[in-house]
Each structure stands twice: as structure tokens, then as C-alpha cells.
Amino acid sequence: MRLPPLIAVRFFEATARLLSVRAAAAELHVTPGAVSQQVRKLETFLGCALFERQPRGLALTAAGQEYQVACGEALARIGQATSRLAARAERRVVLVSCTPGFAAQWLVPRLQGFLQQEPRIDAHVNTPHRLVALQAEGIHFAIRHGMGPYPGLQSERLLDDDLIPVCSPRLVAPRRKARYGDITGERLLHDGHRDDWRLWCQARGLAHVDCTQGVVFAHSNGAVEAALAGRGFALVRRSLLGRELATRALIGLPGSTGLATPLAYHLVHMPETLIDPALRRFRDWIVAQAREDAPAKA
């Protein structure tokens, strides 16, 4: 049996039903370019044109009309069978990949809320020390730290990434307020390397601070845990520690501005991922969480 690419069939059916690439893209939660690419791929596979591109829009060719009926019936039957099987399933799993620091400091503390509102969904968080290949490894979503864009993937900017110095109030007791003079080389807690502290101290004119001193941690959550224990100052991503700052488990320097960088955390996924309603609900939830945190960055 010779079968066409099934994703291309799904994109064709939506375009044929709506007679609009833009409307099909909105329904499928992908870009118009992704829809056009899949339709062209299907036409190449079939060896015939399915649409007439007219000045005022699309029209189905005779072959396109015939194929639309067949595809619509087939997808309807697949959808009905899928719904029946999904109703029997105990849990739906969402696979998410991110760094250990992002998982510990931002994602996991919020996941309980999502799981409570979606009792039939499990979230599996993968924290490898490498860049994962989403399609090859079956990962639904990844949180990537960088400037973007990411070729072949849909991406959305989640969290900006200013760096601010923080410490436990215990470190500066009994004042419970940190001052620039409290920052010394031996009190620095480094995240993987010393460049961030060097850049921050240069920007604030703290030439007396020896940034070659202090403890270096492999991951940001190690530096954060040490700061929470009162062991020194960590230079951290503002967007990841809103709760610790709000509860004053960690405090910043009064009047201190963050070190702005072009980096951010991005949610990335394959173009077809959001066709699945459960995966789309996870995407909507995590984007909403990031937007709630946005005022805390200012």
C-alpha cells in the first residue's frame, strides 16, 4: 500500500476545507509557511496539482476535490478511533526537556498546579546535559536558553534573562539588607564560569572585587542552594527566582539593576505538536505562567 505523508494529508484537508492557507495555519497552530510547504510536498508525492492559486484565493482542482472527500472521510475515522482509544487510556504523557537549573528553579515548582487542573496528564521532565533532538527522541517540548531562532522548530520567547546578585538575609544579619560593600571575591558563587561576575562587577565599577575567587558550581541550582544556605552571593537569572525574592528567602541589592543580556528562555517544539489538544493545553499553560512572571522582571 502506497501511503502519502500523513502530516501533509492533515494540512491539505484543513486547507481544502477552509480554502485558506492562513485559516488552516491558525486552526493547526502552525505558520502559513509550514502549511504551504506540506501542501507542496503532497502535490509532489501525488504528481498533480490539488489547488488552483487564484488572485483572490484558492480553488480546488478536480483532483483536489476528489482527494478532499477521501482524506476527510479517512481523517474522521482516524479521529473517532483515536478518541475511543484515548478515552480508555489512564494517563497522557507530556515529555519536556530543559536544563537542571530551569527545572529546579522555575518549572517543577509550578508543575503541580498544571497537574491539578489536568488530572489525566503526566509531565515527564528530562534534564540532559546536551541538546536533545526533539523528533528523533520523541520529546514534545524543550526549553532552550539562547537568542533563537531554532531552524525547523516553532519557538516562543518565555523568559528574559537579566542577571542580579542575591544572597540570604542571614549573610548580612542583623542588617538584613545587602550593600555593594558586602560583595567580596571570596563570597562569590559562580555558575559554571566566572565571566558573569566579572561583567557585572565591571558594569558597576567594583574594581576591588577579585572575580577569580569564590566557588564554581557546574549548574545554577548549585549556586542558588549555596546562596540560600547563606554561603555567599549568587548572580542569578531574575526570571527564575521570583518566589524566593518575593518571600525574601533571597534578597537583592537595593537599587541594583540587572545585567541585561540578549539571551532568553524559549519554548520550542515541532510544528505539528500543537495539533494534539493535550500538548496544546500544556503549551498554553506554560506560556501563561511565563506571562504572569513578566512583571517581576522589571
Side-chain angles (χ1 to χ4, degrees):
M1 181 182 296
R2 187 167 180 251
L3 292 176
L6 296 184
I7 290 295
V9 169
R10 178 72 179 91
F11 283 30
F12 160 73
E13 187 279 332
T15 308
R17 174 165 38 84
L18 300 170
L19 288 178
S20 167
V21 169
R22 188 173 297 276
E27 177 179 294
L28 297 167
H29 299 278
V30 298
T31 64
V35 173
S36 297
Q37 182 182 25
Q38 290 296 330
V39 170
R40 287 194 299 270
K41 183 177 181 180
L42 183 60
E43 289 178 323
T44 299
F45 179 88
L46 296 171
C48 65
L50 298 172
F51 293 98
E52 294 178 2
R53 278 74 175 177
Q54 300 176 344
R56 295 187 179 181
L58 295 176
L60 285 164
T61 63
Q65 292 175 6
E66 178 183 349
Y67 205 56
Q68 180 193 14
V69 173
C71 290
E73 292 175 351
L75 289 172
R77 293 186 64 183
I78 292 172
Q80 292 164 3
T82 301
S83 296
R84 288 194 298 270
L85 292 176
R88 300 176 199 165
E90 293 183 2
R91 309 287 289 181
R92 179 74 170 87
V93 175
V94 178
L95 301 175
V96 186
S97 175
C98 62
T99 65
F102 188 89
Q105 297 166 24
W106 194 89
L107 180 58
V108 172
R110 291 163 174 78
L111 264 181
Q112 190 60 41
F114 173 75
L115 298 177
Q116 287 175 350
Q117 72 184 43
E118 296 286 351
R120 296 180 65 83
I121 297 179
D122 266 341
H124 291 189
V125 180
N126 182 25
T127 58
H129 303 297
R130 59 181 176 79
L131 195 66
V132 298
L134 272 67
Q135 188 170 34
E137 299 181 46
I139 302 295
H140 298 128
F141 298 98
I143 314 298
R144 291 192 176 168
H145 185 240
M147 294 185 288
Y150 301 93
L153 299 173
Q154 300 287 323
S155 69
E156 298 178 79
R157 192 180 184 94
L158 280 183
L159 299 170
D160 291 332
D161 205 25
D162 288 358
L163 295 170
I164 60 170
V166 297
C167 70
S168 166
R170 288 180 289 167
L171 185 68
V172 292
R175 277 187 281 117
R176 299 183 67 82
K177 288 186 178 181
R179 299 171 180 171
Y180 281 90
D182 295 321
I183 298 179
T184 60
E186 62 271 15
R187 283 181 163 181
L188 299 184
L189 304 171
H190 299 274
D191 175 8
H193 53 78
R194 303 178 194 272
D195 285 348
D196 288 343
W197 267 117
R198 180 179 57 79
L199 292 172
W200 190 87
C201 288
Q202 284 180 353
R204 302 298 174 268
L206 302 181
H208 66 282
V209 177
D210 183 358
C211 295
T212 65
Q213 293 184 298
V215 182
V216 180
F217 295 86
H219 307 294
S220 61
N221 47 329
V224 170
E225 289 299 321
L228 286 167
R231 303 305 181 189
F233 283 86
L235 193 60
V236 298
R237 315 302 180 187
R238 181 195 301 269
S239 53
L240 300 186
L241 295 179
R243 297 186 181 188
E244 288 82 357
L245 292 169
T247 60
R248 290 186 60 80
L250 292 172
I251 58 174
L253 297 172
S256 174
T257 57
L259 178 64
T261 78
L263 303 175
Y265 288 93
H266 299 263
L267 178 71
V268 302
H269 53 82
M270 298 297 296
E272 62 270 19
T273 296
L274 298 187
I275 295 175
D276 185 316
L279 300 181
R280 187 163 66 249
R281 291 199 297 276
F282 178 83
R283 173 266 172 201
D284 292 344
W285 169 81
I286 196 171
V287 169
Q289 289 291 306
R291 288 174 180 168
E292 285 181 13
D293 282 359
K297 300 180 301 178

